[in-house]
Each structure stands twice: as C-alpha cells, then as structure tokens.
Amino acid sequence: MAFTSKNLRFAVMKAEGTAGTPEWDLSATFPADADFNNRIYDIGVSPQIEMDEDVANIATGDHGELSGLSGKQACDITFSFPMHWGGAVATAPNWTKILQGCGLYENAYTTTGIGWQPRKQMDAETLTIAVFDMDLGGTSPDAKVYLFAGCVGNAVLSAENNGKFMVACTFKGKYVDMITVANANIPEPTGMQTPLAEKLLNATATINSVSQFISGFSLDLGNDVQPVIDQSETTGYEHFYIASRKPRFSCDPLQLTIATDDVHARVLADSNYPITFVTASSNMTIYIPRAQLLPYSLAEREGLVNYEQNYICQRNHNGSAAVNASIPNEATFEILQGARA
C-alpha cells in the first residue's frame, strides 16, 4: 500500500496564458523542470467542495437520508518563501511570478533595478499551481498531485528579531483535479537562485525621515480575493481575482523623545508620511510614499517602552500632488531591487 509523505511535498507554479485555463492537464502535459524554480516552505492545501445536504432529506417515512449534491470546487493553497534578490539588480528573482499572482506589477528600471508595485491591471493575473505529494518509498515513486487553476493570492512580507525577510502567501484557486503522476513525469528542481534571503539586521528604517529602532515589521498587501463564478465550468469557477486592496504596514519602534517623533500628534494630524526600509546589502528597499498612522498602543520590549504601530498605505498621488514622480500615481508602495536610476 502506497502512503504519501508530507515532508516530501512540493509545489510548482506557472503564470497562465489565459486566466483560469490550466497550464498542464497532468494526463498528457506536465510541469517542466524549469517551472520548478521556487524555494518555498510549509505548503498547505485546504480543499473546499460545496455539498448540498438538504436534498438528501427525502420524505421516506423514516429518518434515513439519500444522496447529497456536490457543487463548486475551490481550494486555499498556503506557503511561504524567503525574499532574496536576483543576484544582479536587473535580474528578476524567480519569486516574481508569485508576487505577480498577488497583484504586483514588475517594473524594470532599465539596467538599474526592478520595482514591484500594486496596480489594478494585475487584478486577474492568475497562476496554475500543482502540489505534489510523493509516494513513500520505492526506487521510482509516483506522486499524487492536486491541480489548481485561476489562482490569485495575498501576501504578507515580514521580518522579526533581525532575521530573514519572509513572504507568507495564501492563494485561492479552482480545484481542477487530483491525479496520480508517474515518476518519469515528476519535475526536478531546476534553476533555483542561490542568493540568501535579505535580513532585517543592519537595515535602515525611517518614518517621516526619522530613524527608528524596530525588532520586526510586516507589509500586508491586503488583497480581497474573490471568485468569478461560471456555471458552465465543471468546478463552478472561471478564475479568481483581486476585488479590493487595503495594504497595511505594521512595526514596533521604540519610543523616542516627543521632540524627535511626536507620535500622538502624527495620529491627530490625519496626515501621511513616507516610510523607507533599506536592507544592509542595499539590494532591497520597501518604500511607502504616503503612510497614515492609525491609533497606536503602548507596549514593552527588552524592558523599554515601544509603540505598536499600524499604517494605512495610501496612493502616491493624493488628488493634488504625487509624492514620488518615479512611481505610478496609484502605487501605495513599492518593493524595489537595486535603484530606480
């Protein structure tokens, strides 16, 4: 009897040419080795198959039930990956296809760098995701594969305790099939980039041009992912898309003097300020042109007073002026590799 190993689970993903149309059918077409090029961790699969149980309650004169009726088939796919640079400022990291599936546009600044920006044109950039569960043991084990199409996601970029930059993703997609794939058609990881993740240690953090002392941060893209329902599809869905975005930035800076950073006044002013994080290598920058501080709370870390802060990431152009002419008016943040010029 063949069991499958959770520790051997892996996933392969590819951008779709047509939203909702799988890039592979896994009966005749399979992922190429070159598609298996992302270092991802902690893959979770949560199928959601609708079932109408009410139709089982037929009046039979007793309490016995008959068959229910299955309906739409979707799934949540979760995983995380380390955020590293591409090894050169003009080389996109392999994870770019993942963030494009989370609604970020890849903008090349000629030979100086690449920026990832939230844009409405990316609301329906979908991925096909195949999750492989390897059979346990044997010289040429097969795999049970879950195939999802029309996948769109949300991502949270974070770092804590001066550690690595990680991106946690939750994708929603239509559940196309579960099938056995022979060993000969299982892809081999190829072309995975070797740079290590960027880290918070020795990074520069400024809010409103004031240097901050933090032990962690997170940038939640804030994507509300919804389905395009299609009754003519066997899954009940055409594909998923981003219905709305509410990006939020969070951090835990130590309390400074009021003269240096009047946090209370900043909240009451209903204003906004730029936030910039630059990693020690200067390979990656997180930039928010207009960040509005929400009501804060006081906390304690390492015996010192700190703030728990959350910011609304506002659009670059507020209706009268753009903070930064180098990024689109609609951009609420940019993840930048290298430089713009």
Side-chain angles (χ1 to χ4, degrees), residues 250-255 263-264 267 293-301 304-311:
S250 302
C251 60
D252 63 348
L254 292 176
Q255 188 179 66
V263 172
H264 189 66
V267 173
L293 179 59
L294 296 170
Y296 57 89
S297 62
L298 293 173
E300 174 270 332
R301 61 178 177 87
L304 301 174
V305 177
N306 75 289
Y307 299 109
E308 297 294 338
Q309 295 184 345
N310 296 285
Y311 290 85

Side-chain angles (χ1 to χ4, degrees), residues 101-159:
C102 293
L104 300 192
Y105 178 81
E106 179 188 313
N107 185 47
Y109 292 104
T110 60
T111 61
T112 61
I114 302 172
W116 289 268
Q117 308 148 349
R119 297 195 194 180
K120 61 181 181 293
Q121 71 192 78
M122 303 296 289
D123 285 348
E125 289 295 313
T126 57
L127 301 180
T128 296
I129 301 177
V131 178
F132 289 71
D133 275 344
M134 297 296 300
D135 286 353
L136 188 63
T139 56
S140 299
D142 298 336
K144 293 177 179 63
V145 186
Y146 318 96
L147 181 63
F148 312 108
C151 302
V152 171
N154 184 50
V156 180
L157 167 60
S158 66

Side-chain angles (χ1 to χ4, degrees), residues 13 35 52 59-60 64 119 126 129 196 239 247 259 268 294 297 330:
M13 55 200 73
D35 298 324
D52 186 345
T60 59
R119 297 195 194 180
T126 57
I129 301 177
L196 298 176
H239 59 80
L268 298 181
L294 296 170
S297 62
E330 67 175 303

Side-chain angles (χ1 to χ4, degrees), residues 13 40-48 74-81 97-103 125 127 129 148 150-157 166-174 219-226 240-242:
M13 55 200 73
I40 62 177
Y41 302 86
D42 302 324
I43 303 165
V45 177
S46 301
Q48 297 148 13
C75 192
D76 285 350
I77 309 101
T78 59
F79 58 87
S80 59
F81 67 87
K97 62 182 174 182
I98 300 176
L99 289 192
Q100 288 176 19
C102 293
E125 289 295 313
L127 301 180
I129 301 177
F148 312 108
C151 302
V152 171
N154 184 50
V156 180
L157 167 60
M166 292 292 292
V167 182
C169 299
T170 300
F171 275 81
K172 293 182 178 293
K174 59 183 184 180
L219 174 61
D220 187 338
L221 274 56
N223 296 340
D224 176 22
V225 177
Q226 295 291 336
F240 285 74
Y241 78 105
I242 298 172

Side-chain angles (χ1 to χ4, degrees), residues 240-320:
F240 285 74
Y241 78 105
I242 298 172
S244 65
R245 307 181 190 230
K246 292 185 177 180
R248 296 291 185 266
F249 181 85
S250 302
C251 60
D252 63 348
L254 292 176
Q255 188 179 66
L256 303 176
T257 65
I258 293 176
T260 301
D261 188 14
D262 191 339
V263 172
H264 189 66
R266 286 205 283 123
V267 173
L268 298 181
D270 295 329
S271 190
N272 53 75
Y273 310 90
I275 294 178
T276 304
F277 274 60
V278 183
T279 60
S281 65
S282 298
N283 291 333
M284 304 296 294
T285 299
I286 299 171
Y287 172 67
I288 303 169
R290 295 180 184 274
Q292 182 181 4
L293 179 59
L294 296 170
Y296 57 89
S297 62
L298 293 173
E300 174 270 332
R301 61 178 177 87
E302 302 89 47
L304 301 174
V305 177
N306 75 289
Y307 299 109
E308 297 294 338
Q309 295 184 345
N310 296 285
Y311 290 85
I312 298 173
C313 303
Q314 300 180 5
R315 74 194 309 267
N316 178 38
H317 198 295
N318 69 350
S320 61

